[in-house]
Amino acid sequence: NAMIAAGGKSALEVLQDNREIRFMVFNKVHTVQDSVHSVSMRTQVGTLLCRRVTLIGRDTNQLKTRLGMSILQGVIIGVAFWDIAKKLPAQQISFLFLMLQVGAMANLVVMPEMIAQRLVFKIETSDALYSTTAAVVVDTLVMNCMAIAGNLITSVIMYSLSGLSWSSFGLVYAWSFMCFMVMTNFFKIVAAVAPTPAQSLQVATPGLIFFILFNNFFVTKATVADFMRWAIFISPMAWSIEQMVMGLYSHDPTLVELYGYDCSDAQTATAFAVLFTEAILFQIVSLVCLRNLNNISR
């Protein structure tokens, strides 16, 4: 303000002058706005996305390692459940649960990377280089694409070695995918809350154990204590495993009676609603935590 009063230029005027210089050099520039970040949300997202893709292209070792581990996981689990389709339906449920668990556990290995990205984000947003929303959009797009690709590779390999009919793969993977997205957003909360990569594993473990135990397979509606029955109804794994089993073996009354599963259309709609809601809720919570926690002290 003192510089403006003395005849100096405002921040907007400096940016506009810089824009003219860049236009003469590159013949293409972005419109300067009188706002905190000076450019539109579209420009922020586009610039951040180009930078992220460029960095990934420069360091392909990390990408190769991630895809390689996805393949290896699929082979190991697939071999362990080789031709499980020839076994009894009750013996096949373990394989279906492993599809859910592998997807959840896969997020643990990328926790250090997520926290490293958070540190860069905190430093740059503290200087108002871009908005939190733009960073979250780009991070969600890039990380989800990589995570989904890895999970799909693992799932396809597992399933191909299991001997199960490919006509059922769409149903199985759809519910596995929804559970995977819920758990991915859960780990985003952990990455936003945990101060360091080492502490992130400690923060993530209780929630991960909770979801894995109360999965309507290890601990079922028939065996859970009354005061913990609510835990099954909020576990994404519980809803997913029930729909996977009922989609494949609804004709088997033994499984329905043993686990207390419900094969009705209403239960399927409820399962979808719960998983979708949890995925959105966890994404919102992670955004709030990212905005307000572990900020850079100036």
Side-chain angles (χ1 to χ4, degrees), residues 28 30 39-55 129-131 133-139 141-142:
K28 182 180 179 181
H30 302 296
V39 293
S40 66
M41 178 62 65
R42 179 180 178 181
T43 300
Q44 295 175 52
V45 171
T47 303
L48 289 174
L49 183 59
C50 288
R51 183 180 72 170
R52 192 72 173 273
V53 172
T54 300
L55 292 175
L129 297 184
Y130 49 81
S131 66
T133 303
V136 169
V137 169
V138 172
D139 187 70
L141 180 62
V142 174

